């Protein structure tokens, strides 16, 4: 028997001002998109902003549905937009942030399991890591260099 030691490095920033200007701008773009969220059922707005390798920034937000499972997460919305409009361009970074109608979110919120798999597919497709930057409404910011840090031993298929 051997053991696999899986280490994950999460960089913790005191607040968004402590980020590199480029990363702060990406997070700001996500915050700016929050009001595009259609979330009448959860009152929980989620926004994701991606930086493409061509320098472009795209945003997406959660889009809910009266039939709850039909809803799409912010990360899925923005990745579908990238895939539809820039099918040959790699994603370099993604910033995720939230705003709750039920109370202040003061710690970072990370992508759900399904979205981790979606982001992983994108990394594999372009053989290019995607840095994930996460923040609540205020407080600390977490950053990981690749979705593999949030989804170790990810499912893949040749
Ligand atoms: N949501 C996202 O947009 N991204 C995630 O990674 C997790 C959850 C959305 C789905 C739903 O509209 C709302 O958050 C509350 O669960």
């Amino acid at each position: 028997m051997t053991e696999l030691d899986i280490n994950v490095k999460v960089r913790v920033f005191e607040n968004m001002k402590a980020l590199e200007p480029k990363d702060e701008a990406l997070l700001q773009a996500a915050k700016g998109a929050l009001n595009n969220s259609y979330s009448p059922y959860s009152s929980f707005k989620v926004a994701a902003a991606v930086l493409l390798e061509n320098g472009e920034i795209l945003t997406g937000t959660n889009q809910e549905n009266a039939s709850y499972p039909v809803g799409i997460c912010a990360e899925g919305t923005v990745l579908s937009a990238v895939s539809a409009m820039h099918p040959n361009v790699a994603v370099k970074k993604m910033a995720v942030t939230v705003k709750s109608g039920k109370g202040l979110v003061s710690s970072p919120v990370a992508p759900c399991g399904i979205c981790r798999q979606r982001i992983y597919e994108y990394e594999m497709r372009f053989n290019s890591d995607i840095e994930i930057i996460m923040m609540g409404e205020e407080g600390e910011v977490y950053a990981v260099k690749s979705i593999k840090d949030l989804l170790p031993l990810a499912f893949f298929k040749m």
Side-chain angles (χ1 to χ4, degrees):
M1 201 273 279
T2 58
E3 279 184 354
L4 213 51
D5 211 352
I6 298 174
N7 292 299
V8 172
K9 191 167 281 177
V10 180
R11 283 168 298 137
V12 180
F13 299 86
E14 202 179 331
N15 53 48
M16 67 187 294
K17 293 274 163 224
L19 292 168
E20 305 246 314
K22 237 178 147 181
D23 293 348
E24 188 188 345
L26 190 64
L27 197 47
Q28 204 58 65
K31 286 187 176 290
L34 278 167
N35 281 335
N36 297 340
S37 163
Y38 175 68
S39 43
Y41 304 104
S42 70
S43 299
F44 196 77
K45 298 176 196 285
V46 185
V50 293
L51 174 68
L52 304 184
E53 71 179 344
N54 66 10
E56 236 179 285
I57 289 177
L58 264 72
T59 60
T61 53
N62 55 331
Q63 302 296 319
E64 297 185 347
N65 190 282
S67 173
Y68 294 178
V70 177
I72 311 170
C73 288
E75 299 89 328
T77 302
V78 74
L79 284 182
S80 294
V82 172
S83 207
M85 296 191 292
H86 305 273
N88 300 312
V89 184
V91 172
K92 303 308 284 180
K93 296 171 188 250
M94 177 186 284
V96 181
T97 191
V98 301
K99 185 169 172 48
S100 173
K102 296 175 181 166
L104 194 67
V105 182
S106 51
S107 52
V109 172
C112 77
I114 287 178
C115 288
R116 292 177 198 207
Q117 187 73 33
R118 285 190 170 117
I119 299 166
Y120 181 71
E121 184 77 19
Y122 234 84
E123 280 199 358
M124 292 298 107
R125 189 166 152 190
F126 291 92
N127 191 25
S128 176
D129 285 353
I130 300 175
E131 185 178 346
I132 315 287
I133 299 160
M134 298 155 274
M135 187 184 174
E137 290 177 63
E138 59 166 31
E140 289 181 336
V141 180
Y142 290 173
V144 293
K145 286 288 183 195
S146 160
I147 195 64
K148 293 185 278 296
D149 289 331
L150 298 181
L151 192 65
L153 302 179
F155 173 77
F156 71 96
K157 216 160 159 277
M158 294 301 190

